[in-house]
Amino acid sequence: MESVELTVHHHGDAIGVHMARNPEGATCIDRLTIGGAADDAGLLVGDELVSICRTSVTSPQHAGHIIAQNGMSDIPFSVRREAGIRVLRMHKESAAQSVGVTMGTDTSSHATYVQVVREGGCAAAAGLRVGDIVVSVNGITIENYNHA
């Protein structure tokens, strides 16, 4: 795990983040609004919230309270995340364009991983590679997703 310090710039509207407890009981980001203030700042699905506005986070509700009570337009976040995470953005040119990826689930770890990346798809253009573990799609966690 690595520690990351980020600043979310917001202007009184929602910052576009949903928090929940992970299986270990830590408060984590489990959904992001793509293009929202939290996404723009670099927060990622799966980030474990350590502190917001230099206040230790004790629960998802506590994190929401800290954000709501904040009077600043710049909100400092301290998070922990797995080292080596890459963020890829794929953009389909049309509804007919193929993403060009096949995913599967590792039965022992329940991780969603890339099995096949097809040439010409937006996944290949974005740099997705066979073996990559996929944590979220469109800002929503896909942990334990059923690919059947």
Side-chain angles (χ1 to χ4, degrees), residues 54-125:
R54 295 168 188 68
T55 301
S56 295
V57 173
T58 60
S59 70
Q61 296 78 13
H62 182 233
H65 180 75
I66 296 168
I67 294 167
Q69 296 302 312
N70 176 46
M72 304 180 298
S73 60
D74 293 340
I75 305 173
F77 278 73
S78 178
V79 301
R80 279 193 289 264
R81 66 173 58 141
E82 294 293 328
I85 290 180
R86 297 180 303 135
V87 176
L88 303 176
R89 304 242 187 237
M90 291 182 253
H91 302 283
K92 291 176 65 171
E93 299 297 321
S94 70
Q97 181 187 15
S98 170
V99 172
V101 66
T102 302
M103 295 189 288
T105 302
D106 181 291
T107 55
S108 61
S109 68
H110 302 288
T112 300
Y113 67 96
V114 176
Q115 293 178 313
V116 176
V117 178
R118 289 180 280 292
E119 285 188 42
C122 57

Side-chain angles (χ1 to χ4, degrees), residues 128-140:
L128 200 63
R129 300 182 298 241
V130 170
D132 281 349
I133 304 289
V134 180
V135 177
S136 68
V137 175
N138 293 334
I140 299 171

